[in-house]
């Protein structure tokens, strides 16, 4: 999924969403020219509104057979870069990994969301314990919010819940959205539990349990 991507350019994208990426990428140093050219090409397509079609085309090519390993790797690199630029972050890949409902997939998904994972205990449908802290309900909220943002709902809620998850697994206070002061770990988990009650009232097809 990450074949041929540039950590330098990925960092620029994550730190500057919605900014003139062509200009920022062009100013980057110590980046392989062929890789830089792909980032610039797809950044331009994103600005033109044609990147989604390009990602779909690349996805179809990857599913085809008959390519050499070199050709396949080239398509894989293009797809990885184009998809990242289309999404603006690794969040879609993270959610896909978590939806596999395996410990490896959960670990990858959490790390991609910026969660500092030192230890992980995962029992699908029952428990997600990160660094000794139970965050099963928060993880479910993250996935639910991601799916809702894909359907056009507020993506800011997704980012807020991810921040809540990061704070909870590190046992640190989290500043509340209204700026009234920090929210401690217990409050964060309490908020997650309260939200879970609301999730249980939704129709079954609207809720995924990890």
């Amino acid at each position: 999924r990450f074949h041929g991507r540039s950590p330098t350019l990925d960092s620029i994208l994550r730190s500057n969403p919605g900014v003139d990426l062509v200009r920022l990428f062009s100013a980057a140093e110590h980046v392989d020219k062929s890789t830089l050219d792909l980032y610039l090409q797809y950044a331009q397509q994103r600005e033109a509104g044609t990147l989604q079609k390009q990602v779909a085309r690349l996805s179809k090519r990857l599913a085809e057979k008959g390519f050499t390993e070199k050709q396949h790797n080239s398509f894989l690199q293009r797809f990885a870069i184009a998809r990242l630029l289309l999404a603006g972050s690794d969040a879609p890949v993270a959610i896909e990994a978590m939806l596999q409902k395996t410990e490896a997939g959960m670990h990858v998904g959490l790390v991609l969301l910026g969660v500092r994972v030192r230890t992980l205990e995962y029992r699908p449908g029952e428990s997600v314990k990160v660094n000794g802290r139970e965050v099963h309900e928060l993880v479910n909220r993250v996935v639910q919010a991601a799916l809702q943002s894909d359907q056009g709902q507020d993506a800011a809620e997704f980012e807020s819940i991810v921040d809540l998850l990061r704070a909870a697994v590190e046992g640190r206070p989290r500043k509340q959205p209204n700026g009234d002061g920090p929210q401690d770990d217990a409050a964060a988990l309490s908020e997650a539990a309260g939200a879970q009650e609301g999730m249980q009232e939704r129709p079954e097809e609207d809720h995924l349990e990890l």
Side-chain angles (χ1 to χ4, degrees):
R1 292 179 187 270
F2 309 102
H3 182 87
R5 279 180 23 190
S6 163
T8 298
L9 299 179
D10 285 359
S11 179
I12 290 174
L13 172 62
R14 295 189 188 99
S15 302
N16 302 276
V19 178
D20 183 359
L21 292 174
V22 173
R23 176 179 58 81
L24 294 176
F25 287 163
S26 298
E29 299 179 346
H30 310 299
V31 178
D32 176 74
K33 185 180 184 305
S34 61
T35 301
L36 174 61
D37 288 344
L38 289 176
Y39 276 81
L40 290 172
Q41 174 187 338
Y42 296 138
Q44 291 167 347
Q45 290 182 3
R46 189 174 84 157
E47 290 180 1
T50 60
L51 184 55
Q52 185 169 357
K53 291 183 179 179
Q54 176 69 6
V55 170
R57 284 194 293 267
L58 289 169
S59 179
K60 288 182 179 179
R61 296 306 297 272
L62 281 170
E64 296 174 2
K65 297 181 179 180
F67 294 115
T68 65
E69 182 178 356
K70 183 177 180 180
Q71 289 172 324
H72 177 79
N73 287 340
S74 176
F75 283 126
L76 187 60
Q77 179 190 27
R78 292 170 180 271
F79 178 74
I81 294 171
R83 181 175 179 175
L84 174 69
L85 283 168
L86 180 64
S89 74
D90 283 318
V93 178
I95 299 304
E96 284 185 20
M98 295 165 80
L99 287 174
Q100 293 175 9
K101 297 186 178 182
T102 65
E103 184 165 322
M106 180 62 66
H107 196 151
V108 169
L110 290 169
V111 170
L112 287 175
L113 291 175
V115 176
R116 297 179 181 177
V117 181
R118 291 182 289 276
T119 62
L120 172 64
E121 300 173 42
Y122 175 49
R123 297 194 304 276
E126 298 179 16
S127 172
V128 181
K129 189 174 289 186
V130 183
N131 304 339
R133 295 180 172 85
E134 180 59 63
V135 291
H136 186 210
E137 310 304 349
L138 275 173
V139 168
N140 282 328
R141 284 188 64 194
V142 166
V143 173
Q144 193 68 27
L147 297 177
Q148 290 173 350
S149 65
D150 282 345
Q151 297 169 5
Q153 298 190 33
D154 188 5
E157 180 181 358
F158 169 74
E159 295 296 337
S160 177
I161 297 172
V162 170
D163 185 54
L164 191 68
L165 175 60
R166 294 183 189 124
V169 301
E170 294 173 24
R172 60 176 171 80
R174 170 185 177 272
K175 187 174 181 180
Q176 298 185 60
N178 59 13
D180 288 343
Q183 180 182 44
D184 61 22
D185 189 40
L189 294 174
S190 176
E191 178 184 329
Q196 176 67 8
E197 294 179 3
M199 289 169 60
Q200 291 173 342
E201 295 174 357
R202 296 174 184 165
E204 182 65 24
E205 62 272 17
D206 289 340
H207 173 52
L208 288 173
E209 179 80 10
L210 294 185

